[in-house]
Amino acid sequence: MENKTTSSNFIKNIVIEDLKSGNYKEIITRFPPEPNGYLHIGHAKSIILNFELADEFKGKTNLRFDDTNPTKEDIEYVESIKEDVKWLGFDWEELHFASNYFEEMYNRAVLLIKKGKAYVDDLSAEQIREHRGTLTEPGKESPFRNRSAEESLDLFERMRKGEFKDGEKVLRAKIDMASPNISMRDPIIYRIAHATHHNTGDKWCIYPMYAFAHPLEDAIEGITHSICTLEFEDLRPLYDWTIKECEMENKPKQIEFARLNLTNTVMSKRKLKQLVEENLVDGWDDPRMPTIAGLRRRGYTPEALRNFCGEVGVAKSQSIVDSQMLDHFVREDLEKKTPKVMGVINPIKVVITNYPEDQVEMLDVPYNVDIPELGSRQIPFSREIYIDSEDFMENPPKKYFRMFPGNEVRLKEAYFVKCNEIVKDEKGNIVELQCTYDPETKSGSGFTGRKVKGTIHWVSAKHAIPAEIRLYEPLILDEEDDNEKSFLEQVNPDSLQVLNGFVEPALKSAKPQDKFQFIRQGYFNVDPKNTTEDKIVFNRIVPLKSSFRIEK
Ligand code: ATP
Ligand code: MG
């Protein structure tokens, strides 16, 4: 696969320096998702960054489930995450669950208490918040801060045994209540939660906090470069403090980069979960979702995602990327791979009145002249065909070169036809168009007698396969807003349009996830979830740039 992130970035420069100076002998990175939802394209960015970085320096990357929060995590998410990482094209070196390190983390916490670097606090969460101070004022020390190590050790052990209720006590690091960095003001490192954990069951009722657990997880695995997003920048001193005071042998380095943000896209598992739970979408893998599962079902390719992430690059400051840039990379990749076929998504019947009733011509047409390996197929041509309703206008504006009464157009790969009559029902709806064809004008015959300005696609009515066509618009109308209410208000009510169309008969053998270019309409993917033996469903992946534009 093409690897676009080989271009230089600031993280790579750090790695190069670290190898040169002998700080680290090899590069070990990790992707550490919390299994509390499906992965989204922001995670894809992190996966690609971590795996490609290690790859480039002949290092390794682990997949680690950061499952230290018992209440929100689920094995369904674990399985989906593994599938998504593999689909992106990566193989992890080791697979770990942070919950397997609970015993070791507990022991390190005990070490901190013994060293006088941690204490059990009886203050409530609310009191602790009140004591914390602000950016301009130092915090206040807890009255329990100076209790003896023995007493804290005893209480911590009893917390583990389940003698206290949720919230009754916490373990805090003893650092500095006056630190200008609020995360260094005696952060909570263990809390009580009487909850069943998806991996450890009821073995534990105390759980380490992220800021304490994460550096330990990295150090235990020998991670050298712990790459995370910018919001963890303030936690870096605590990360380093934990590694040092817990006397970890390996000393990983935390490096922050800007998270990926996309226009018209919500990128938070919490919000995505809300869309699923409120049935605003058809599950986590709905083709409108920015989840990896959704993008896959829509028809995006791993290569397109990797090229896109490479182009976005790795930055130190926040930005929002236009989601059309992603579509660009999808088109660029599909253009190199897909057969071009004819599909009519909004059909009108056309009868070619001077074409013999029982005649069928088979036209041999290559799937894609730029990709000869794809071969060719036969397209039947007959007296009755379907064209797209967008390709016909009863009263066209100037410069409309597609079908209208009295105008001649080329049927792609077939003949020139001229529309003579519109047949309507009693309500005035168009039932069919009657045309005549000119047998001299067959495509490939070398006919040069006259030219037409419009070429349109079609399928033979008798031979075409009915297909359900799903067209998508962005799920989110505006840019993401942190306000809960306005996020749901930004959901686009017209993000899905379902049409009953027809595709050429060669697509009978199409399998779920097969991708095609429908000439003039865009790229389409065979939907893996709703396609059945009897009904083929196509998701439009992206339109062609020029789709539905009035030809000049
Ligand atoms: P979310 O806020 O969307 O729920 P998260 O950061 O809580 O995501 P985690 O499972 O904790 O999700 O993330 C796993 C890894 O993916 C972390 O290293 C995190 O920094 C990274 N990550 C998450 N979102 C993005 C993003 N938008 N861009 C880049 N990396 C991301
Ligand atoms: Mg998280």
Side-chain angles (χ1 to χ4, degrees), residues 31-34 40 42-43 46 227 229 257 259-260 267-269:
F31 174 63
E34 186 182 353
H40 52 61
H43 295 112
S46 172
I227 300 169
T229 40
F257 74 105
R259 57 170 53 225
L260 174 70
M267 231 173 313
S268 136
K269 280 180 281 191

Side-chain angles (χ1 to χ4, degrees), residues 306-321:
R306 290 170 70 149
N307 291 340
F308 166 71
C309 288
E311 182 68 25
V312 169
V314 184
K316 198 74 192 171
S317 59
Q318 295 291 3
S319 66
I320 298 182
V321 176

Side-chain angles (χ1 to χ4, degrees), residues 57-80:
F57 296 96
K58 309 234 164 350
K60 303 167 192 163
T61 304
N62 293 347
L63 173 61
R64 180 205 312 144
F65 290 99
D66 204 340
D67 56 350
T68 54
N69 181 352
T71 53
K72 291 190 186 150
E73 296 161 0
D74 197 285
I75 195 76
E76 177 197 348
Y77 300 136
V78 169
E79 292 309 316
S80 76

Side-chain angles (χ1 to χ4, degrees), residues 332-352:
E332 185 191 71
D333 187 49
L334 292 175
E335 190 184 359
K336 295 186 293 210
K337 297 178 175 166
T338 49
K340 294 184 185 181
V341 299
M342 292 202 276
V344 169
I345 66 181
N346 216 341
I348 311 186
K349 186 176 263 187
V350 172
V351 179
I352 302 164

